[in-house]
Amino acid sequence: MTFGPCALEERDGEIESLTRWWGEACGGTGRLVLVGGDAGAGKTALVEEFGRRLGEVRLLRGSCEPLTTPPALGPLRDMADSLSPPLRRTLAGSADPVAARRLMLDELRNSGEPTLVVFDDAHWADEATLDLLRFLGRRMEACPAMLVVVYRQDEVGARHPLRVLAGDLAALPVVRRLTVPMLSEAAVARLAEGTGIDQAELYRRTGGNAFFVTQVLGDGGAAVPPTVRDAVLARAARLEPGAREALDALACLGTRAAAPWLVEAVSGRSAEDLDACLERGLVAAEGGAVAFRHELVRVAVMEAIPPGRAAALHRRALAVLGARPPGDVEPAVLADHAERAGDRAAVLVHAPLAAQRASELGAHTEAVAHLRRALAVSRGGPDADRAGLLEELGRQCHLADDLDGALRARQEAVEAWREAGDDLRRGGALVGLAITAAHLAREIPLGEAACDEALALLAGQPPGPEYALACAIRAKLSGMAFRNADAVTWGERLMAMTGESGGLRERALALLSIGIGRAQDGDVAGLDLIAESVRLARGASADDQAGLAYFWLQLICVTRRWYREADRWYGEALAFTEDHGQEVWRQWLRAFRSRALLDQGRWDDAEALASEVLRTAGVDDGRRMIAMVVLGRLRARRGDADPVPLLTRVRAVMVPAERAVGWIIGSTPALAEAATYIGDVDRVRAMVPAALTAAAGQGEPWLLGELSYWLSRVDGSMAVPEAAAEPYRLQLSGRPRESAERWAETGCPYEAALALADTADEGMLREALAAFDRLGARPMRDITARRLRRLGVHDIPRRPSRTAGPDGLSAREQEVLALLADGLRNAEIADVLFLSRRTVEHHVAAVLRKLGMDNRSEAARYARRNGVATALR
């Protein structure tokens, strides 16, 4: 396929870059290119011109829709006619998103010729499309293909899902970045030559917006309208009434391209009226369909339609499209028209179907939007119908990683089922509430109460899956609270209920519960039971359950400090979650991995992973809490930015559940450590004793030992808890050498150095000093050096200076520069990096000073030219 001709100004450099990357893709090294720029900058025109210059190439092109809630996998559906039959069938039927992603990857790997794939308007991408891009980006390096993702940079904020996605992929070698700037004043002047239009006025009004410039020049008038909207409407105003009605109908249809018969049916106008829109240049013919030349045109036309007329057009569109054969029109499109038409009954019909379709494709965020649309018009309906919508909303919110929204919806569903008088469904809703509360971590007490209520309610019902799931969740909650015997008991009860002939899912849940209890009690064989649970869950295609089991393998291995076993399972677990699009479980795995790397002295890797989790996780649950604790401890140990505010924030969030899951999150010992280094003994004495009492009752050995250690640092010797982990017992008992050896055997070099530093022995202090220097642990390095000086030692090595990058910037400054390159303001950078705004201001000033630049724009251009990893990473 070839593109149509298109003249461009000032795009030679961008075309050259695209051509170079295409050559690499043709050579078998795939590329994913992010093409950003403001609306109207000429991104699509650039890509079209690039494709035109390539000539006959295999092109797959699709766009994301600007609907209120876009259809899932919209770009893939646009290109369906050019895809393989298996992938077309998958998209047309009850699509499996995992299968669709794998088939698309096969399409790029095995097509027999290089493939150019274009995803346009990705700022409107649905969740399933973003998952597809994430999947392909991680695997397309060996594909003879280039995937170009076009998006509006001005619509992608600091927390936009596309920014999160691109941030997740930025470190991959396949990713390239291209920004399409506005036209210069000279370029605008060249385009306007001979038109009689005031060139300076044209540039001043348009700001170099390529689309705005072409609209003005295409209209042929000497006056320059003040806005894009005015330019578009000036052209539309010269249409005859019938043509304007056809144009309005096309705008209300909302799609990028529509069949002429559909426009005629909705507008009630003839083909000649539609042709007039083509002649005026507002609409273009494209593959037997018609479409606006730019989304800015559609928006301008749409905004000018009176509300009553717009609603009438949407009613006609709903009637015409609703009469099509089943499966011909996406439910999301019908739901959108129904809502805009104000047809409540139609919304209640089409929105739940759209939600179901979106969920099947993995677009849970879109499913949530559809369900909320249905709930908004369901007032006064049957209680059971509303309760069912609320329960499904809770499930979809949970799957979309909106845990706070899930919690609220599930609480409302429990109450709605109570009002409907259905105890069985209420019990099931309570189990769902417990699941979400457990994932939030801070809501563990609520989860335990909900689960206990569900068990009491379901005990009076005939045995069923709801009761079995309630038992399984009770076991997990017991495991999270380190009540290991209870976890085993609940697992054995579930196994007895399941029996030898029970289903794979039920047996997997039972084995997981038993394995959790045994492994957390120190029996490594418990991990084998969890591994068997993974195998059974995968055999039953219970992917989320398998992800849960992988999560527990990492949680236990890392908190038990079984790093060899953690490494054994981490790669397999990560590959599984990536293959199945389980970003939430992947983030949990990465959070625990960052903690393991911190413990093992791999601090740069730990910081990178923890930062990634903070960028990608959208919920203040355990993932983010663990990542923040890792970063806080790193700041404390390195002597970086003040870690206390960050760690205080974690502890404040975790207050309701600290006694239950404090051993998993670790905010109290982390805050005690940070306070100790800065000499804030009052803070340590204020918070550690109560936490220590709770830890003694709970019996988790590592938390118990660590809290005892930090309290001993400010209060001197203390009774050694028998249940504390062995390295801490040895350290607290005044046996530093043995403690250090145990720490070294465990794989924790920093703790080993701490044990050696807690002495008056010159040899051990020198060993500790060397270890702290290797790690970059400045506070403890300085403390140890002072102890050596007090012993009369004079030949103490100087503190090593920190290494800078090739441009003279520190690692933190390079990260700030990367975020500057993506247009973030200081407040946004502070939010992404969890720093104070004042600290960010200092870093920005340092970056500009070291690079010898006057402003942020120059620094951003420098970053892009020199390949500094950007904030879209």
Side-chain angles (χ1 to χ4, degrees):
M1 177 177 179
T2 59
F3 291 88
C6 178
L8 293 182
E9 278 283 344
E10 295 186 327
R11 298 293 184 253
D12 290 347
E14 288 79 5
I15 292 287
E16 180 183 343
S17 295
L18 289 170
T19 303
R20 181 173 67 256
W21 299 331
W22 172 250
E24 293 167 355
C26 291
T29 304
R31 292 287 176 256
L32 189 155
V33 184
L34 297 161
V35 178
D38 290 350
K43 305 177 295 297
T44 301
L46 168 70
V47 175
E48 287 179 345
E49 174 66 6
F50 165 65
R52 187 187 68 78
R53 295 187 186 186
L54 291 182
E56 294 289 341
V57 298
R58 184 174 187 242
L59 168 71
L60 301 174
R61 185 171 188 176
S63 297
C64 301
E65 296 276 6
L67 299 180
T68 305
T69 306
L73 291 179
L76 218 54
R77 295 176 184 285
D78 283 352
M79 60 183 74
D81 290 345
S82 302
L83 300 175
S84 64
L87 183 48
R88 282 204 304 273
R89 287 194 295 270
T90 297
L91 293 171
S94 296
D96 174 0
V98 176
R101 290 192 288 267
R102 289 175 176 164
L103 286 168
M104 187 61 188
L105 182 63
D106 290 341
E107 191 90 22
L108 302 184
R109 279 177 174 165
N110 306 318
S111 69
E113 59 179 318
T115 304
L116 176 63
V117 186
V118 179
F119 277 29
D120 210 354
D121 290 328
H123 48 279
W124 289 319
D126 63 278
E127 184 181 0
T129 297
L130 293 173
D131 283 343
L132 172 66
L133 291 174
R134 181 180 285 109
F135 179 88
L136 294 176
R138 290 173 180 161
R139 292 163 178 80
M140 66 180 299
E141 188 172 7
C143 296
M146 187 162 89
L147 173 53
V148 179
V149 181
V150 184
Y151 67 98
R152 289 186 189 174
Q153 200 162 300
D154 50 334
E155 293 198 20
V156 178
R159 295 295 177 186
H160 191 283
L162 182 62
R163 186 183 299 279
V164 173
L165 162 70
D168 194 20
L169 300 179
L172 299 178
V174 303
V175 175
R176 297 292 182 270
R177 176 92 183 279
L178 198 64
T179 298
V180 180
M182 295 297 184
L183 297 175
S184 69
E185 187 170 4
V188 172
R190 285 194 297 273
L191 289 170
E193 281 179 2
T195 64
I197 293 176
D198 186 320
Q199 298 169 0
E201 177 70 0
L202 178 61
Y203 180 74
R204 186 182 69 80
R205 287 278 179 91
T206 64
N209 183 295
F211 173 73
F212 195 175
V213 171
T214 59
Q215 284 295 296
V216 174
L217 296 177
D219 197 38
V224 182
T227 66
V228 174
R229 182 178 184 275
D230 294 325
V232 170
L233 294 182
R235 302 181 79 174
R238 290 192 282 275
L239 292 171
E240 294 295 328
R244 180 57 190 266
E245 289 173 12
L247 190 71
D248 289 351
L250 179 59
C252 286
L253 284 169
T255 55
R256 301 305 301 278
W261 70 261
L262 178 58
V263 180
E264 294 165 22
V266 173
S267 67
R269 307 307 304 184
S270 67
E272 288 75 16
D273 289 318
L274 188 56
D275 289 342
C277 300
L278 288 162
E279 292 167 6
R280 180 60 60 184
L282 293 162
V283 173
E286 181 180 305
V290 290
F292 284 99
R293 288 192 174 275
H294 197 284
E295 175 62 14
L296 291 175
V297 178
R298 191 191 73 83
V299 170
V301 172
M302 189 71 214
E303 289 177 347
I305 304 173
R309 173 160 169 71
L313 287 169
H314 283 294
R315 280 194 294 273
R316 287 188 204 168
L318 180 62
V320 172
L321 294 172
R324 301 293 296 171
D328 234 26
V329 181
E330 280 291 318
V333 173
L334 297 173
D336 190 73
H337 286 304
E339 182 179 44
R340 294 175 188 271
D343 189 334
R344 296 162 64 94
V347 169
L348 279 172
V349 170
H350 297 299
L353 292 175
Q356 180 183 349
R357 179 66 170 161
S359 179
E360 290 170 351
L361 289 166
H364 302 292
T365 300
E366 285 65 39
V368 166
H370 288 304
L371 289 166
R372 286 184 170 145
R373 175 183 279 165
L375 281 162
V377 300
S378 70
R379 302 289 181 185
D383 289 342
D385 289 350
R386 183 168 178 78
L389 286 171
L390 284 166
E391 189 169 4
E392 182 61 12
L393 175 62
R395 189 175 80 89
Q396 293 299 329
C397 282
H398 188 106
L399 292 171
D401 204 20
D402 177 9
L403 298 186
D404 289 309
L407 200 71
R408 289 190 297 271
R410 286 183 147 161
Q411 287 173 316
E412 289 185 49
V414 169
E415 181 60 21
W417 284 121
R418 186 192 66 75
E419 292 174 358
D422 192 328
D423 285 350
L424 180 62
R425 296 296 299 270
R426 180 157 64 104
L430 282 163
V431 174
L433 176 58
I435 291 171
T436 294
H439 278 75
L440 269 170
R442 65 178 186 269
E443 296 290 353
I444 288 289
L446 173 62
E448 291 182 324
C451 198
D452 289 342
E453 185 180 350
L455 287 165
L457 199 62
L458 295 171
Q461 301 287 330
E466 294 87 358
Y467 187 75
L469 184 58
C471 291
I473 299 305
R474 198 67 194 79
K476 309 304 176 299
L477 289 166
S478 295
M480 292 184 79
F482 210 72
R483 296 196 297 272
N484 300 320
D486 288 348
V488 172
T489 298
W490 282 108
E492 290 173 341
R493 180 181 299 184
L494 181 56
M495 184 67 81
M497 289 169 52
T498 303
E500 290 299 322
S501 59
L504 294 180
R505 292 184 181 221
E506 291 74 18
R507 287 182 58 80
L509 284 171
L511 286 173
L512 176 58
S513 303
I514 297 168
I516 288 169
R518 291 182 180 174
Q520 287 191 161
D521 257 353
D523 182 0
V524 180
L527 300 179
D528 295 332
L529 296 179
I530 301 177
E532 177 64 10
S533 173
V534 169
R535 188 188 68 79
L536 293 175
R538 294 182 65 168
S541 297
D543 296 338
D544 196 59
Q545 196 169 309
L548 172 67
Y550 280 127
F551 154 84
W552 275 101
L553 279 170
Q554 284 302 298
L555 185 160
I556 293 170
C557 289
V558 173
T559 55
R560 298 295 88 205
R561 299 181 187 257
W562 294 339
Y563 302 119
R564 196 169 302 157
E565 289 80 3
D567 289 347
R568 172 190 169 195
W569 291 109
Y570 179 71
E572 177 184 320
L574 197 66
F576 177 84
T577 56
E578 289 181 350
D579 281 347
H580 291 78
Q582 296 180 335
E583 280 306 299
V584 173
W585 287 130
R586 179 180 178 273
Q587 290 161 6
W588 272 108
L589 296 174
R590 306 282 270 183
F592 283 120
R593 180 69 169 179
S594 71
R595 176 170 164 176
L597 293 169
L598 169 72
D599 292 346
Q600 294 175 92
R602 295 168 59 184
W603 288 0
D604 289 342
D605 293 339
E607 182 177 39
L609 270 186
S611 298
E612 177 205 294
V613 172
L614 284 180
R615 281 194 302 268
T616 55
V619 180
D620 267 346
D621 64 355
R623 289 165 291 171
R624 288 172 64 87
M625 298 299 104
I626 291 169
M628 290 165 74
V629 167
V630 167
L631 291 178
R633 298 199 98 146
L634 277 170
R635 291 178 186 179
R637 293 176 181 184
R638 286 171 164 170
D640 285 344
D642 183 7
V644 172
L646 183 64
L647 296 172
T648 301
R649 173 179 169 181
V650 179
R651 192 162 185 268
V653 169
M654 292 304 300
V655 162
E658 180 72 23
R659 296 174 69 88
V661 294
W663 65 280
I664 298 175
I665 306 301
S667 59
T668 299
L671 193 51
E673 178 179 6
T676 300
Y677 295 152
I678 61 176
D680 189 353
V681 297
D682 291 338
R683 183 187 293 270
V684 177
R685 288 173 178 147
M687 66 181 176
V688 171
L692 184 57
T693 300
Q698 189 177 59
E700 201 286 319
W702 296 97
L703 177 64
L704 181 60
E706 187 172 16
L707 289 170
S708 300
Y709 169 72
W710 292 116
L711 190 59
S712 74
R713 287 285 299 264
V714 299
D715 281 348
S717 61
M718 57 177 294
V720 181
E722 291 185 12
E726 183 185 24
Y728 283 118
R729 288 204 314 273
L730 292 169
Q731 198 166 348
L732 292 167
S733 300
R735 297 155 69 181
R737 173 61 70 184
E738 292 174 72
S739 174
E741 289 172 354
R742 293 294 181 275
W743 280 119
E745 291 168 4
T746 303
C748 302
Y750 183 75
E751 284 78 1
L754 281 179
L756 293 172
D758 200 17
T759 69
D761 181 279
E762 180 182 342
M764 285 193 275
L765 287 171
R766 285 185 179 275
E767 286 183 51
L769 187 74
F772 292 137
D773 280 344
R774 285 193 299 272
L775 291 166
R778 290 186 294 170
M780 277 307 303
R781 194 262 180 215
D782 293 345
I783 290 171
T784 305
R786 287 196 295 271
R787 288 175 179 168
L788 283 166
R789 290 190 191 96
R790 285 197 294 269
L791 292 176
V793 178
H794 298 291
D795 58 335
I796 301 172
R798 290 186 176 182
R799 186 168 73 184
S801 59
R802 290 195 168 186
T803 58
D807 46 16
L809 302 181
S810 69
R812 175 64 81 196
E813 289 163 351
Q814 289 178 21
E815 194 165 18
V816 169
L817 175 60
L819 294 161
L820 280 177
D822 204 42
L824 269 68
R825 300 184 298 273
N826 286 357
E828 293 174 312
I829 295 174
D831 183 47
V832 170
L833 298 180
F834 285 83
L835 298 171
S836 72
R837 188 168 180 174
R838 179 61 60 84
T839 299
V840 170
E841 289 171 358
H842 290 319
H843 284 314
V844 170
V847 167
L848 296 178
R849 184 181 68 255
K850 291 181 179 180
L851 295 180
M853 293 175 177
D854 295 328
N855 55 59
R856 302 161 71 95
S857 298
E858 287 185 27
R861 284 194 292 272
Y862 170 88
R864 289 194 285 268
R865 284 197 308 270
N866 291 277
V868 177
T870 67
L872 268 174
R873 68 188 179 98

